[in-house]
Amino acid sequence: MEYVKITENLTMSRIIQGFWRLTDWNWDTETLAEFMRGCIARGVTTFDTAEIYGNTVCETEMGKVFEKYPEIREKIQLVTKTGIKKIAGMP
């Protein structure tokens, strides 16, 4: 895997695994952890999420993995966005 140096102290994998549709995958904590381990094994160590993904469910589920398997969190770069709001009346 190729890595990109963003700053002196931050390097990210060239490929970033997004979790926008994580709630559609219907995975339990163990399945998500295995998927994340597979990404890491392939060199994909940068993960993208946002609080709006699944109305915070995405980050909640990832948090469960990090709590149970802290070694996963230690091996990745987590890119997250905040402050993105739903527009009233929009799904």
Side-chain angles (χ1 to χ4, degrees):
M1 174 62 58
E2 185 177 343
Y3 294 88
V4 178
K5 188 171 186 171
I6 306 298
T7 69
E8 190 63 34
N9 299 316
L10 178 62
T11 302
M12 295 184 175
S13 55
R14 168 82 53 198
I15 297 173
I16 298 173
Q17 174 60 55
F19 287 93
W20 177 31
R21 297 286 186 196
L22 178 62
T23 56
D24 294 340
W25 301 345
N26 296 314
W27 289 349
D28 61 16
T29 302
E30 296 303 317
T31 304
L32 178 56
E34 284 304 310
F35 177 78
M36 294 169 83
R37 283 189 191 105
C39 290
I40 293 165
R42 291 170 182 83
V44 178
T45 59
T46 305
F47 296 162
D48 170 66
T49 188
E51 63 188 356
I52 197 168
Y53 296 175
N55 290 323
T56 72
V57 172
C58 176
E59 289 186 336
T60 299
E61 292 304 311
M62 292 180 78
K64 289 177 185 177
V65 170
F66 299 151
E67 181 177 35
K68 191 167 185 179
Y69 304 105
E71 70 278 5
I72 291 176
R73 179 62 185 101
E74 294 167 2
K75 294 178 182 176
I76 69 163
Q77 303 81 44
L78 185 61
V79 178
T80 188
K81 292 144 317 275
T82 62
I84 304 170
K85 307 281 187 222
K86 285 188 169 188
I87 297 171
M90 300 292 290

